[in-house]
Amino acid sequence: MVAPQETHPGSRAGSPPRVYEDAVRSMRAASLRPEVHCEDMPAPQRIAPFAAALSADVTVDEEDLGTGRLILMHDPAGNEAWQGTFRCVCYVRAEVDPELINDPMLADVGWSWLTEALAAHGAAYDCEAGTVTSVTTKGFGQMAEDEGTAQVEIRASWSPLPDEDGVVDMAPHTEAWGELLCTTVGLPPVPEGVTAIPSRRGQRG
C-alpha cells in the first residue's frame, strides 16, 4: 500500500531510521473503506531524505469518482517549517455538483472535511496548511451542448505529532485522508458500528 522508501539522490541519508520505518509500517496498517483503491506511487526525492507515498481512487460500480495522493516525508535533522521531523502532504480531487461551485462557503466546508476527519480518527498534528480550489468547465461553440463540469481540489500538509515514546502512528492520518476522499466525492459516512477493512494495494472491483 505504501511506496518503497526513497532517499535524495546523493544525499547519503543512509539507512532509514527506526522511527521512520515504524511510521511507514503504521501507514500500511491503515484501514480504508472498500471504495478506496490504493496503489504505490513514487515519492518526491528532493524535499526530504526519506519519503513514502501512495495514491488512491474512489471507485463505485467501476466508476472513478475521485482521486488523491498522500505523502509522508521524514528529515531526521528536522525542518523549521515543519516544526518537527515528519510532514504529511495530501491532495484530493473530485467532481461535484456544478451548483455547489457557486456556494461561497464551499472552500471553508472543504477544509473542514479534512480537519474533522483528522479529529475523528484521533490524528495528532500541528502546523497545518493548505488550499481548497474549485474549478468549473463550460463548453462553447460546437461544444455548447456538452454538460459543464465542476471539480474541487484540496491540497494540504501538516506535521504528525509523535506520542510520548516518540512514535509517529500514521494509521489515523492515513484513515483521515481516506475519509476525506470519500467525503469529497459525496459518499455517505460509514454507519456506526461498521468497521472499514484494510485496503489491498491495487485492488479493483
Side-chain angles (χ1 to χ4, degrees), residues 176-200:
W177 167 69
E179 181 176 324
L180 173 64
L181 273 165
C182 294
T183 302
T184 305
V185 303
L187 291 183
V190 175
E192 187 174 354
V194 176
T195 303
I197 62 174
S199 178
R200 294 182 180 178

Side-chain angles (χ1 to χ4, degrees), residues 69-107:
R69 299 189 295 269
L70 180 66
I71 302 166
L72 173 65
M73 299 183 294
H74 176 57
D75 187 343
N79 186 302
E80 184 177 352
W82 305 350
Q83 295 186 21
T85 61
F86 282 91
R87 190 71 173 174
C88 292
V89 178
C90 88
Y91 167 77
V92 168
R93 185 184 75 240
E95 290 198 13
V96 297
D97 188 330
E99 294 183 2
L100 290 177
I101 294 296
N102 297 320
D103 187 339
M105 294 299 296
L106 178 59

Side-chain angles (χ1 to χ4, degrees), residues 3 6 40-45 53 71:
E6 300 186 19
D40 294 347
M41 67 169 285
Q45 300 181 25
I71 302 166

Side-chain angles (χ1 to χ4, degrees), residues 1-197:
M1 179 171 158
V2 177
Q5 299 155 353
E6 300 186 19
T7 64
H8 286 298
S11 66
R12 299 181 182 177
S15 300
R18 173 70 178 273
V19 66
Y20 169 76
E21 291 184 323
D22 289 344
V24 172
R25 272 193 289 270
S26 65
M27 216 171 165
R28 293 190 180 117
S31 295
L32 304 177
R33 290 178 56 160
E35 297 93 343
V36 180
H37 307 286
C38 291
E39 295 179 341
D40 294 347
M41 67 169 285
Q45 300 181 25
R46 298 183 179 180
I47 302 176
F50 304 98
L54 60 90
S55 65
D57 293 323
V58 181
T59 305
V60 177
D61 295 331
E62 299 185 355
E63 180 182 0
D64 288 339
L65 303 180
T67 187
R69 299 189 295 269
L70 180 66
I71 302 166
L72 173 65
M73 299 183 294
H74 176 57
D75 187 343
N79 186 302
E80 184 177 352
W82 305 350
Q83 295 186 21
T85 61
F86 282 91
R87 190 71 173 174
C88 292
V89 178
C90 88
Y91 167 77
V92 168
R93 185 184 75 240
E95 290 198 13
V96 297
D97 188 330
E99 294 183 2
L100 290 177
I101 294 296
N102 297 320
D103 187 339
M105 294 299 296
L106 178 59
D108 297 273
V109 171
W111 185 253
S112 72
W113 291 337
L114 171 64
T115 57
E116 290 174 3
L118 289 167
H121 289 274
Y125 66 95
D126 199 0
C127 302
E128 68 276 16
T131 62
V132 179
T133 304
S134 56
V135 180
T136 58
T137 303
K138 183 177 181 179
F140 295 92
Q142 292 182 339
M143 299 180 65
E145 299 300 321
D146 292 353
E147 254 186 65
T149 61
Q151 291 184 336
V152 168
E153 294 182 352
I154 301 173
R155 301 173 185 268
S157 63
W158 63 91
S159 299
L161 299 177
D163 61 18
E164 296 179 353
D165 298 322
V167 175
V168 173
D169 184 2
M170 275 299 298
H173 300 270
T174 307
E175 291 164 4
W177 167 69
E179 181 176 324
L180 173 64
L181 273 165
C182 294
T183 302
T184 305
V185 303
L187 291 183
V190 175
E192 187 174 354
V194 176
T195 303
I197 62 174

